[in-house]
Amino acid sequence: QVQLVESGGGSVQAGGSPRLSCAASGYVARLYCMGWFRQAPGKEREGVATINAGDERAYYADSVRGRFTISQDYTKNAVYLQMTSLKPEDTAMYYCAAAARTYCYGSGPRGMDYWGKGTLVTISS
């Protein structure tokens, strides 16, 4: 069973640069594409970034492109989301997700198979 555990959330000032981490287990890292998603209060869950396992190509939502970077470390079975230039509208619960296929191609939430419980990121202005 694939298990995903997020960490690194908390209260951050606008303009900050925290890094979220996702520890994964129960899967073969190079066969699963990974992603970060978020859900703000009263809004639907949306994609933030995904990364293919095959070519490690990353895809970003327009709202975070140029500010966030997704990466993964196969040796540690970990996926990261480096966030920079945070804005109050980035406040949300951030979820790590995995799909049992090599390529995500910027998949939305419905395209993912496994989910972590999330880590809350709150940005204050």
Side-chain angles (χ1 to χ4, degrees):
Q1 181 70 19
V2 176
Q3 293 187 324
L4 305 171
V5 180
E6 304 93 337
S7 61
S11 295
V12 185
Q13 287 193 330
S17 302
R19 187 179 78 160
L20 304 183
S21 298
C22 173
S25 61
Y27 79 135
V28 179
R30 295 185 183 274
L31 297 181
Y32 285 67
C33 62
M34 305 293 293
W36 285 95
F37 297 78
R38 68 185 182 185
Q39 188 166 16
K43 295 187 177 181
E44 293 186 354
R45 192 170 299 188
E46 63 178 4
V48 175
T50 62
I51 186 166
N52 295 337
D55 57 13
E56 298 194 47
R57 183 173 178 178
Y59 299 81
Y60 297 94
D62 290 341
S63 58
V64 306
R65 187 176 293 112
R67 299 189 297 124
F68 292 8
T69 302
I70 186 172
S71 62
Q72 58 186 343
D73 185 336
Y74 292 124
T75 65
K76 297 181 179 180
N77 275 2
V79 181
Y80 306 101
L81 185 68
Q82 179 66 57
M83 303 188 288
T84 66
S85 302
L86 283 173
K87 307 174 183 179
E89 51 264 41
D90 292 318
T91 293
M93 184 72 80
Y94 283 74
Y95 298 90
C96 176
R101 62 186 187 276
T102 306
Y103 298 95
C104 277
Y105 296 123
S107 174
R110 292 184 179 180
M112 308 306 284
D113 302 312
Y114 304 96
W115 293 88
K117 294 183 178 180
T119 184
L120 181 63
V121 177
T122 304
I123 295 94
S124 58
S125 57

